[in-house]
Amino acid sequence: MNVLKTLTPAQKKNLAVLAISGLLFWTSLTTLLPTLPAYISDVGGSKHQVGLVMGSFAIGLLLFRAQLGQLSDQRSRKLVVMIGTFVVGTAPLGYLSVDSIPLLMAFRAFHGISIAAFTTGYSTLVVDWSPPEKRGELIGYMSLVVPVGLALGPALGGYLQVSVGYEVLFMTSATLGYLGLLFASQVTEAGKKQVEEKEREDTSQQAAFWTMLLSPRIRTPAMVLFMVGLVFGTLTTFLPLYVRELGIDLNPGLYYTTSAIASFAMRIFIGKASDQFGRGIFITMSLTLYVVAMFLLATANTPIEFLVAAIAQGAGGGTLIPMMIALMSDRSTTSERGRIYALSIGGFDLGIALAGPGIGSFAEILGYRGLFQLGVSLALVALLIFITRSSKSIAHSFRFATGREKDVYAVK
C-alpha cells in the first residue's frame, strides 16, 4: 500500500477512523443476518410474517436514501455517517424490546435507514479525503470493510445465538454499532470544506435533485445498478431455496463465504488499476463476471459448480460497487457528490427491493432454475446498457467501456 506514504497525517487519521467505524458498522449489521429470521419465528411469526419483517428493511433504505444524500451535501457527511451508526446500534435494542409483528416491521424499516445513511456518508467522506489521482485505489482499500464485516458478523451472530441467546446477541450488535458511532464522531471534514471554498456554487444554479437522475452522467450508471440489483436480489433471496430444490449437498452459507473471499481479493487490486487504466474496462469486466456467474448458477448441478459461480459473482460484485463509486466521484463536484451517489446507488437498492416480489412472482411458472436463467438475461442487459450508453455515443461508449477512451463526463 504505497499510496499510504503519499497521504498527509490528516488524511491517514481520518481514513483510519472511518475504516474502523465501517468495520464496526458492517459487523453490527450482519450479526443479525442469520439470526433475526429465527428470532421473528420464535416470537410467533409465520413464514409469511418473517418475510414481511425482513423485507421492511427496504422501506427505510429507499425512503431515506435521497434525503440523506441531500443532507450529506448541504449539511455534513460526518452527520450522515453518525446517523447511520446510531441507527444500526439502536435498532437491535428495538427488536429486543418488542414481540409484535407490526412493531418488528417498524424497527426493521428504521434499521434500513442505517445503510442509506452510512454508505452515503462513508463513501463521500472517503472520496473527500482521497487525492484525485489515487481515488480508485483508496476506494478499493476502504471498501474492504464490507466483505470483512460480512465474514465476521454472521459467524459472530450465529455463535452468540446458540451459546448465550438473543439478549446478548442484540446487546452485542448494539454495542458494535455505538462503538462505530464513537469512532465516526472523531472524523473531521476539513478536506471537504477546503475544496468547497474553491468550487462553491450559487444554490440557485445547482440542478434540482431529481433532475440529476436524467443527466446522462448518472442515468446509465443508475440503470446498470438497478439491473444488477435485480440480479443480486434474486441470488440472495432464492439461492438457498434453489439449492434445496435441486437436492444438492451444499450449505448456502459456504456460497456466500466463497463470494465474500473473492470480493475481498478483487477490492485489493482493482482500485489501483482503475486509476491507471480507467473505470470503464473494469465495470465491463465486473458485469461480464455477473453474466458468467448467473449462467453457471442457471446450469449448476453440483456443489463445485455453485462455488465456481460464487467466485465469479464475488469478483464481479467486489469490482462493480467500488468502480461505480469511483465513477460517480469522477463525475461530480464536492458540493453535489452525496446526491449523485445517493441517486446512482439508489438504483441498486431499488433493484434488490423489487427482486423478491417482482422476480419471485415468476417462480411458480419458471421454477427456481428459471429465475436464474432470467438472471442471465438481466445481467446481459446491464452489460449491453453500459457498453452502448456509458458515454455520449455508442462509439464513445464502447471505447470507454473497453478502456480505450477517458470518461467524457468526468469533472475536470
Side-chain angles (χ1 to χ4, degrees), residues 6 59 72 83 126 135 242 313 316 350 357:
T6 68
I59 297 173
S72 172
I83 290 172
V126 168
R135 182 176 290 163
Y242 181 38
Q313 183 264 317
L350 182 61

Side-chain angles (χ1 to χ4, degrees), residues 265-287:
M266 293 302 292
R267 290 169 193 256
I268 293 176
F269 304 106
I270 212 70
K272 183 176 182 179
S274 76
D275 288 331
Q276 181 177 357
F277 300 107
R279 321 298 185 200
I281 189 170
F282 296 104
I283 294 174
T284 300
M285 181 184 74
S286 69
L287 295 172

Side-chain angles (χ1 to χ4, degrees), residues 146-405:
V146 181
V148 173
L150 286 169
L152 294 176
L156 175 63
Y159 170 76
L160 292 174
Q161 179 192 19
V162 172
S163 60
V164 291
Y166 289 115
E167 183 173 351
V168 175
L169 165 66
F170 288 128
M171 292 299 294
T172 300
S173 178
T175 300
L176 291 169
Y178 288 138
L179 283 173
L181 173 62
L182 177 64
F183 278 94
S185 69
Q186 303 306 304
V187 175
T188 60
E189 295 186 90
K192 172 176 177 284
K193 292 176 182 176
Q194 289 168 0
V195 175
E196 284 186 334
E197 288 176 1
K198 297 179 181 179
E199 54 179 50
R200 192 178 303 276
E201 303 172 13
D202 188 279
T203 54
S204 64
Q205 296 176 342
Q206 293 184 19
F209 182 67
W210 288 108
T211 61
M212 286 183 175
L213 187 58
L214 301 178
S215 167
R217 61 180 171 147
I218 304 173
R219 183 177 63 233
T220 295
M223 180 58 69
V224 169
L225 285 169
F226 172 69
M227 302 303 293
V228 174
L230 287 173
V231 173
F232 186 77
T234 299
L235 193 153
T236 55
T237 303
F238 299 108
L239 180 73
L241 299 172
Y242 181 38
V243 171
R244 187 170 65 183
E245 179 183 75
L246 293 176
I248 293 175
D249 184 18
L250 174 70
N251 179 353
L254 185 58
Y255 176 97
Y256 298 122
T257 300
T258 304
S259 175
I261 293 171
S263 174
F264 183 94
M266 293 302 292
R267 290 169 193 256
I268 293 176
F269 304 106
I270 212 70
K272 183 176 182 179
S274 76
D275 288 331
Q276 181 177 357
F277 300 107
R279 321 298 185 200
I281 189 170
F282 296 104
I283 294 174
T284 300
M285 181 184 74
S286 69
L287 295 172
T288 302
L289 285 168
Y290 260 106
V291 173
V292 171
M294 296 308 290
F295 176 79
L296 290 172
L297 288 172
T299 59
N301 290 295
T302 65
I304 191 64
E305 289 173 320
F306 274 90
L307 295 180
V308 172
I311 293 172
Q313 183 264 317
T319 302
L320 180 66
I321 299 302
M323 288 301 95
M324 280 297 192
I325 293 172
L327 183 70
M328 290 297 94
S329 302
D330 295 341
R331 293 182 173 190
S332 60
T333 64
T334 301
S335 60
E336 64 182 2
R337 187 164 291 142
R339 287 167 290 167
I340 286 180
Y341 175 79
L343 284 170
S344 57
I345 300 298
F348 188 68
D349 299 339
L350 182 61
I352 293 175
L354 294 179
I359 304 299
S361 63
F362 295 100
E364 292 294 332
I365 302 171
L366 302 176
Y368 292 125
R369 189 181 293 276
L371 295 186
F372 285 90
Q373 291 170 347
L374 180 59
V376 178
S377 300
L378 293 172
L380 271 172
V381 170
L383 176 61
L384 290 173
I385 289 173
F386 185 73
I387 289 175
T388 60
R389 307 297 298 172
S390 59
S391 194
K392 59 184 179 180
S393 69
I394 292 178
H396 282 284
S397 296
F398 184 76
R399 288 196 293 271
F400 171 65
T402 53
R404 294 182 293 151
E405 184 174 290

Side-chain angles (χ1 to χ4, degrees), residues 1-34:
M1 294 188 183
N2 291 331
V3 65
L4 298 180
K5 299 177 182 178
T6 68
L7 301 179
T8 66
Q11 288 172 321
K12 290 179 182 178
K13 178 256 184 183
N14 280 280
L15 290 173
V17 170
L18 268 176
I20 296 170
S21 179
L23 183 59
L24 290 165
F25 172 86
W26 286 105
T27 305
S28 168
L29 185 72
T30 57
T31 53
L32 303 184
L33 280 181

Side-chain angles (χ1 to χ4, degrees), residues 5-88:
K5 299 177 182 178
T6 68
L7 301 179
T8 66
Q11 288 172 321
K12 290 179 182 178
K13 178 256 184 183
N14 280 280
L15 290 173
V17 170
L18 268 176
I20 296 170
S21 179
L23 183 59
L24 290 165
F25 172 86
W26 286 105
T27 305
S28 168
L29 185 72
T30 57
T31 53
L32 303 184
L33 280 181
T35 54
L36 189 56
Y39 177 74
I40 299 165
S41 178
D42 287 347
V43 298
S46 65
K47 291 181 179 179
H48 177 63
Q49 290 172 326
V50 170
L52 285 176
V53 174
M54 296 302 291
S56 297
F57 191 86
I59 297 173
L61 177 59
L62 292 172
L63 288 182
F64 287 90
R65 172 75 84 176
Q67 289 87 339
L68 289 163
Q70 289 182 301
L71 183 64
S72 172
D73 286 334
Q74 296 170 2
R75 286 285 303 277
S76 166
R77 324 279 207 217
K78 176 181 175 178
L79 174 62
V80 174
V81 170
M82 292 180 67
I83 290 172
T85 50
F86 172 79
V87 172
V88 88

